[in-house]
Amino acid sequence: METLRAAYEMAKENDGAPGIDGVTFEAIEARGVESLLEQSRDELIGRSYQPLPSRKREIPKDGGSKVRVLSIPAIRDRVVQGALKLVLEPVFEADFQPGSFGYRPKRTAHEAIKRVAQAIAERKTRILDVYLRAYFDNIRHDRMLEKAALRIDDKEILHLLRLMLKASGKKGVPQGGVISPLLSNLYLNEVDKMLERAREVTRRGKYTNIEYARFADDRAPRRREGGVMESTFEQPCCTADGGWPLELGLQDQGSNHRLLLRPNGRGGERDRKRQSETLSGKDRGDERKRTTDELSKA
């Protein structure tokens, strides 16, 4: 009960709209919070708990040309997800990698930027900027459960996790689910480990030729100009052309491979041409200014 009670307090603090059942926090507290928590506890113990479908809401993105589908679980399901997260997060966190920053306790986007700035200062200016297409929507449930089972030896917890995944459909985890960010990091932890191995392959003393930073489904591996990056991606978990893991069921939205201005202000003609293919004249000027500013701060 204590874990469920803590999860309810976190859900209430985050507030948010009601789910598909229309039940609000005000209605729950009018009937009594303990009644909800006791019912949830009894259903979990008796294996009769069934999560409700999430309420869908479309959020415009990319200037309104696309939409992101946000899933809003019922409050009762937010509480159960939150309780499960409280149990699982310390276990999974112990295995997560230092280059992962998104949706993790005591880690921020500013720390990811600092890691990137440090890499630039160390002349790691060849960037592979990767965004995974519809990442949350394409997570395979069987692979997710396999990864969870490697760290969790509890059939009841794995049963509950399976129920939550099935409630979102045949694949994917809902954007808006309390436990979804934790699961999304677990799913990509294998790729983070591959990049950590790549760093060590290039290590010379305290320096490496490769650095990376990941914030959820955005990732920016970078290497020192003149170093070897491509061969380090020839790992069993990658596609033949150095792409992202096919067995995870993910697709690259389109990598942007470019060379930042070196600390001495020079860049190769071929690299400038590659960058100009994706940027207009004005954008190239803005990009150069931003890059110069970044390097001066680094």
Side-chain angles (χ1 to χ4, degrees), residues 39-83:
Q39 179 183 351
S40 298
R41 178 199 60 192
D42 294 343
E43 289 179 355
L44 290 169
I45 292 174
R47 275 198 166 204
S48 60
Y49 169 76
Q50 288 291 335
L52 297 172
S54 296
R55 182 165 66 87
K56 306 296 184 183
R57 182 179 177 185
E58 293 185 347
I59 306 296
K61 68 174 186 177
D62 295 342
S65 60
K66 299 179 181 178
V67 296
R68 173 180 287 109
V69 179
L70 185 66
S71 298
I72 305 174
I75 293 174
R76 64 184 284 271
D77 295 329
R78 279 180 241 172
V79 172
V80 175
Q81 285 190 30

Coordinates of all heavy atoms in Angstrom, one line a residue, residues 39-83:
Q39 N -8.7 -1.0 -3.6 CA -9.2 -1.7 -4.8 C -8.1 -2.1 -5.7 O -8.0 -3.3 -6.2 CB -10.2 -0.9 -5.5 CG -10.8 -1.6 -6.8 CD -11.8 -0.7 -7.5 OE1 -12.2 0.3 -7.1 NE2 -12.2 -1.2 -8.7
S40 N -7.1 -1.2 -6.0 CA -6.0 -1.5 -6.8 C -5.1 -2.6 -6.2 O -4.7 -3.5 -6.9 CB -5.2 -0.2 -7.1 OG -5.9 0.8 -7.7
R41 N -4.9 -2.5 -4.9 CA -4.1 -3.5 -4.3 C -4.7 -4.9 -4.4 O -4.1 -5.9 -4.7 CB -3.9 -3.2 -2.8 CG -3.1 -4.2 -2.0 CD -3.4 -4.0 -0.5 NE -4.8 -4.2 -0.2 CZ -5.3 -3.9 1.0 NH1 -4.6 -3.4 1.9 NH2 -6.7 -4.1 1.2
D42 N -6.0 -5.0 -4.1 CA -6.7 -6.3 -4.2 C -6.7 -6.8 -5.6 O -6.5 -8.1 -5.8 CB -8.2 -6.1 -3.7 CG -8.2 -5.8 -2.2 OD1 -7.2 -6.0 -1.5 OD2 -9.3 -5.3 -1.8
E43 N -6.9 -6.0 -6.6 CA -6.9 -6.5 -8.0 C -5.5 -7.0 -8.4 O -5.4 -8.0 -9.1 CB -7.3 -5.3 -8.9 CG -8.8 -5.0 -8.8 CD -9.2 -3.9 -9.7 OE1 -8.3 -3.3 -10.4 OE2 -10.4 -3.6 -9.8
L44 N -4.5 -6.3 -7.9 CA -3.1 -6.7 -8.2 C -2.8 -8.0 -7.6 O -2.2 -8.9 -8.2 CB -2.1 -5.6 -7.8 CG -2.1 -4.3 -8.6 CD1 -1.3 -3.3 -7.9 CD2 -1.6 -4.6 -10.0
I45 N -3.1 -8.2 -6.3 CA -2.9 -9.4 -5.6 C -3.7 -10.6 -6.2 O -3.1 -11.7 -6.4 CB -3.2 -9.3 -4.1 CG1 -2.2 -8.3 -3.4 CG2 -3.1 -10.6 -3.4 CD1 -2.6 -8.0 -2.0
G46 N -4.9 -10.3 -6.6 CA -5.8 -11.4 -7.1 C -5.6 -11.6 -8.6 O -6.3 -12.4 -9.2
R47 N -4.7 -10.8 -9.2 CA -4.5 -10.9 -10.7 C -5.7 -10.6 -11.5 O -5.9 -11.1 -12.6 CB -4.0 -12.3 -11.1 CG -2.5 -12.5 -10.9 CD -2.0 -13.7 -11.7 NE -0.5 -13.7 -11.9 CZ 0.1 -14.3 -12.9 NH1 -0.6 -15.0 -13.8 NH2 1.4 -14.3 -13.0
S48 N -6.6 -9.8 -11.0 CA -7.8 -9.4 -11.7 C -7.6 -8.0 -12.3 O -8.6 -7.5 -13.0 CB -9.0 -9.4 -10.8 OG -8.9 -8.6 -9.7
Y49 N -6.5 -7.3 -12.1 CA -6.3 -6.0 -12.6 C -6.2 -6.0 -14.1 O -5.5 -6.8 -14.7 CB -5.0 -5.4 -12.0 CG -4.6 -4.1 -12.6 CD1 -5.3 -2.9 -12.4 CD2 -3.6 -4.0 -13.5 CE1 -4.9 -1.7 -13.0 CE2 -3.2 -2.9 -14.1 CZ -3.8 -1.7 -13.9 OH -3.5 -0.5 -14.5
Q50 N -6.9 -5.1 -14.7 CA -6.9 -4.9 -16.2 C -6.8 -3.4 -16.5 O -7.7 -2.7 -16.2 CB -8.1 -5.5 -16.9 CG -8.2 -7.0 -16.9 CD -7.1 -7.6 -17.8 OE1 -6.6 -7.0 -18.7 NE2 -6.7 -8.9 -17.5
P51 N -5.7 -3.0 -17.1 CA -5.6 -1.5 -17.4 C -6.6 -1.1 -18.5 O -6.9 -1.9 -19.4 CB -4.2 -1.4 -17.9 CG -3.8 -2.7 -18.3 CD -4.5 -3.7 -17.4
L52 N -7.2 0.1 -18.4 CA -8.1 0.6 -19.4 C -7.3 1.1 -20.6 O -6.1 1.5 -20.5 CB -8.9 1.7 -18.8 CG -9.8 1.4 -17.6 CD1 -10.4 2.7 -17.1 CD2 -10.9 0.4 -18.1
P53 N -7.9 1.1 -21.8 CA -7.3 1.8 -22.9 C -7.0 3.3 -22.6 O -7.8 3.9 -21.9 CB -8.3 1.6 -24.1 CG -9.2 0.5 -23.6 CD -9.2 0.6 -22.1
S54 N -5.9 3.8 -23.1 CA -5.6 5.2 -22.9 C -6.5 6.1 -23.8 O -6.8 5.7 -24.9 CB -4.1 5.5 -23.2 OG -3.3 4.8 -22.3
R55 N -6.8 7.3 -23.3 CA -7.5 8.3 -24.1 C -6.4 8.9 -25.0 O -5.4 9.3 -24.6 CB -8.1 9.3 -23.2 CG -8.9 10.4 -24.0 CD -9.8 11.2 -23.1 NE -9.1 12.0 -22.1 CZ -8.7 13.2 -22.4 NH1 -8.9 13.8 -23.5 NH2 -8.0 13.9 -21.4
K56 N -6.7 9.0 -26.3 CA -5.8 9.6 -27.3 C -6.1 11.1 -27.5 O -7.2 11.5 -27.6 CB -5.9 8.9 -28.6 CG -5.8 7.3 -28.5 CD -4.4 6.9 -28.1 CE -4.3 5.4 -28.1 NZ -3.0 4.9 -27.6
R57 N -5.0 11.8 -27.6 CA -5.0 13.2 -28.0 C -3.9 13.6 -28.9 O -2.8 13.2 -28.7 CB -5.0 14.1 -26.7 CG -5.1 15.6 -26.9 CD -5.0 16.4 -25.7 NE -5.1 17.8 -25.9 CZ -4.9 18.7 -25.0 NH1 -4.7 18.4 -23.7 NH2 -5.0 20.0 -25.3
E58 N -4.2 14.3 -30.0 CA -3.2 14.7 -31.0 C -2.6 16.0 -30.6 O -3.4 17.0 -30.4 CB -3.8 14.7 -32.4 CG -4.3 13.3 -32.9 CD -4.7 13.4 -34.3 OE1 -5.0 14.5 -34.8 OE2 -4.9 12.3 -34.9
I59 N -1.3 16.1 -30.6 CA -0.6 17.3 -30.3 C 0.2 17.7 -31.6 O 1.0 16.9 -32.1 CB 0.4 17.1 -29.2 CG1 -0.3 16.5 -27.9 CG2 1.1 18.4 -28.8 CD1 -1.3 17.5 -27.3
P60 N 0.0 19.0 -32.1 CA 0.7 19.4 -33.3 C 2.2 19.5 -33.1 O 2.6 19.8 -32.0 CB 0.1 20.8 -33.6 CG -1.2 20.9 -32.8 CD -1.0 20.0 -31.6
K61 N 3.0 19.1 -34.1 CA 4.4 19.2 -34.0 C 4.9 19.6 -35.4 O 4.2 19.6 -36.4 CB 5.1 18.0 -33.6 CG 5.0 16.8 -34.5 CD 5.8 15.6 -34.0 CE 5.9 14.5 -35.0 NZ 6.7 13.3 -34.5
D62 N 6.2 20.0 -35.5 CA 6.8 20.5 -36.7 C 6.0 21.6 -37.4 O 5.7 21.5 -38.6 CB 7.0 19.3 -37.7 CG 8.0 18.3 -37.2 OD1 8.8 18.6 -36.3 OD2 8.0 17.1 -37.7
G63 N 5.6 22.6 -36.6 CA 4.9 23.7 -37.1 C 3.4 23.4 -37.6 O 2.8 24.1 -38.3
G64 N 2.9 22.3 -37.1 CA 1.6 21.9 -37.4 C 1.4 20.9 -38.6 O 0.3 20.5 -38.9
S65 N 2.6 20.6 -39.3 CA 2.5 19.7 -40.4 C 2.3 18.3 -40.0 O 1.9 17.4 -40.8 CB 3.8 19.8 -41.3 OG 4.9 19.5 -40.5
K66 N 2.7 17.9 -38.8 CA 2.5 16.6 -38.3 C 1.9 16.6 -36.9 O 1.7 17.7 -36.3 CB 3.9 15.9 -38.2 CG 4.6 15.7 -39.5 CD 5.9 15.0 -39.3 CE 6.7 14.9 -40.6 NZ 8.0 14.3 -40.4
V67 N 1.5 15.5 -36.4 CA 0.9 15.4 -35.0 C 1.6 14.3 -34.3 O 2.1 13.3 -34.8 CB -0.6 15.2 -35.0 CG1 -1.4 16.3 -35.7 CG2 -1.0 13.8 -35.7
R68 N 1.7 14.5 -33.0 CA 2.1 13.5 -32.1 C 0.9 13.0 -31.3 O 0.2 13.8 -30.7 CB 3.2 14.0 -31.1 CG 3.6 13.0 -30.0 CD 4.7 13.6 -29.1 NE 6.0 13.6 -29.8 CZ 6.6 14.7 -30.2 NH1 6.0 15.9 -29.9 NH2 7.8 14.6 -30.7
V69 N 0.7 11.7 -31.2 CA -0.4 11.1 -30.5 C 0.0 10.9 -29.1 O 0.9 10.1 -28.7 CB -0.9 9.8 -31.1 CG1 -2.1 9.2 -30.3 CG2 -1.3 10.0 -32.6
L70 N -0.7 11.6 -28.2 CA -0.4 11.5 -26.7 C -1.5 10.6 -26.1 O -2.6 10.7 -26.4 CB -0.5 12.9 -26.1 CG -0.1 13.0 -24.6 CD1 1.3 12.7 -24.4 CD2 -0.5 14.4 -24.1
S71 N -1.0 9.6 -25.4 CA -1.9 8.7 -24.7 C -2.1 9.1 -23.2 O -1.1 9.3 -22.5 CB -1.4 7.3 -24.8 OG -1.3 6.9 -26.1
I72 N -3.3 9.2 -22.8 CA -3.6 9.7 -21.4 C -4.2 8.5 -20.7 O -5.4 8.2 -20.9 CB -4.5 10.9 -21.4 CG1 -3.9 12.0 -22.3 CG2 -4.7 11.4 -20.0 CD1 -4.8 13.2 -22.4
P73 N -3.5 7.8 -19.8 CA -4.1 6.7 -19.0 C -5.1 7.2 -18.0 O -5.0 8.4 -17.5 CB -2.9 6.1 -18.3 CG -1.6 6.7 -19.0 CD -2.1 8.0 -19.5
A74 N -6.0 6.4 -17.6 CA -6.9 6.7 -16.5 C -6.0 6.9 -15.2 O -4.9 6.3 -15.1 CB -7.9 5.5 -16.3
I75 N -6.5 7.6 -14.3 CA -5.7 7.9 -13.1 C -5.4 6.6 -12.3 O -4.3 6.5 -11.8 CB -6.5 8.9 -12.2 CG1 -6.6 10.3 -12.9 CG2 -5.8 9.1 -10.8 CD1 -7.4 11.3 -12.1
R76 N -6.4 5.7 -12.2 CA -6.1 4.4 -11.6 C -4.9 3.7 -12.2 O -4.1 3.1 -11.5 CB -7.3 3.5 -11.6 CG -7.7 3.1 -13.0 CD -9.0 2.3 -13.1 NE -8.9 1.0 -12.6 CZ -8.5 -0.1 -13.4 NH1 -8.3 0.2 -14.7 NH2 -8.5 -1.3 -13.0
D77 N -4.8 3.8 -13.5 CA -3.7 3.1 -14.2 C -2.4 3.9 -14.1 O -1.3 3.3 -14.0 CB -4.0 3.0 -15.7 CG -5.2 2.0 -15.9 OD1 -5.3 1.1 -15.1 OD2 -6.0 2.2 -16.9
R78 N -2.5 5.3 -14.0 CA -1.3 6.1 -13.7 C -0.7 5.7 -12.3 O 0.5 5.6 -12.2 CB -1.6 7.5 -13.7 CG -1.7 8.2 -15.1 CD -2.0 9.6 -15.0 NE -3.3 9.9 -15.6 CZ -3.9 11.1 -15.6 NH1 -3.5 12.1 -14.8 NH2 -5.0 11.3 -16.3
V79 N -1.6 5.4 -11.4 CA -1.1 5.1 -10.0 C -0.4 3.7 -10.1 O 0.7 3.5 -9.5 CB -2.3 5.0 -9.0 CG1 -1.8 4.4 -7.7 CG2 -2.9 6.4 -8.9
V80 N -1.0 2.7 -10.8 CA -0.3 1.4 -10.8 C 1.0 1.5 -11.6 O 2.0 0.9 -11.2 CB -1.3 0.4 -11.5 CG1 -0.6 -1.0 -11.7 CG2 -2.5 0.2 -10.6
Q81 N 1.0 2.2 -12.7 CA 2.2 2.4 -13.5 C 3.3 3.1 -12.6 O 4.5 2.7 -12.7 CB 2.0 3.2 -14.7 CG 1.3 2.5 -15.9 CD 1.3 3.3 -17.2 OE1 2.2 4.1 -17.4 NE2 0.2 3.1 -18.0
G82 N 2.9 4.1 -11.9 CA 3.8 4.8 -11.0 C 4.4 3.9 -10.0 O 5.6 4.0 -9.6
A83 N 3.6 3.0 -9.4 CA 4.1 2.1 -8.4 C 5.1 1.1 -9.0 O 6.1 0.8 -8.4 CB 2.9 1.4 -7.8

